[in-house]
Amino acid sequence: QVQLVESGGGLVQPGGSLRLSCTASGFILHQYTIAWIRQAPGKEREGVSCTSGLSGTTYFADSVKGRFTISRDNAKNTVYLQMNSLKPEDTAVYYCAVKEGSCGSDYDYWGQGTQVTVSS
């Protein structure tokens, strides 16, 4: 059964850090294009990052460049989103999603999401 499970969200003060995990089962995660997408209340979904399964290149939204990084543990079939210098505007539900092919829209599988709240 194909499944993605995110974890690691929580409440953090501005300037703090969190590391989100996305663990896959039923398929080999690093063979796919992997995205982190967030949705804040009342706002459209926003792509945070995307790691191409074709080239291995990771792209970041301008809003998170220099603050967020991606790493992976292939043995655990897990990708991590390290979020530093968090801002209140980073508050959202964060999803990981995968697809074949290049970065873009129309992801095939999604996790259930994990809430990140940045507040003092």
Side-chain angles (χ1 to χ4, degrees):
Q1 180 181 359
V2 173
Q3 192 174 21
L4 289 169
V5 177
E6 301 100 337
S7 61
L11 172 64
V12 63
Q13 292 187 341
S17 298
L18 282 174
R19 189 179 76 161
L20 306 185
S21 301
C22 173
T23 299
S25 57
F27 66 102
I28 300 173
L29 186 57
H30 69 85
Q31 293 182 345
Y32 287 75
T33 287
I34 306 160
W36 285 94
I37 298 162
R38 67 186 180 186
Q39 188 164 24
K43 294 190 176 180
E44 299 282 327
R45 281 179 181 169
E46 176 189 17
V48 174
S49 74
C50 181
T51 301
S52 171
L54 300 176
S55 66
T57 303
T58 297
Y59 305 92
F60 290 96
D62 288 342
S63 58
V64 306
K65 271 181 189 173
R67 300 188 296 122
F68 291 10
T69 58
I70 294 289
S71 62
R72 66 173 79 196
D73 185 335
N74 290 341
K76 294 183 178 179
N77 214 22
T78 297
V79 169
Y80 304 98
L81 178 67
Q82 178 68 44
M83 306 187 296
N84 299 326
S85 302
L86 283 162
K87 305 175 181 180
E89 52 263 43
D90 294 318
T91 295
V93 178
Y94 284 71
Y95 301 89
C96 62
V98 299
K99 61 177 290 190
E100 295 183 85
S102 57
C103 291
S105 58
D106 300 325
Y107 288 87
D108 296 314
Y109 300 105
W110 292 72
Q112 83 287 356
T114 186
Q115 176 71 48
V116 171
T117 303
V118 185
S119 175
S120 55

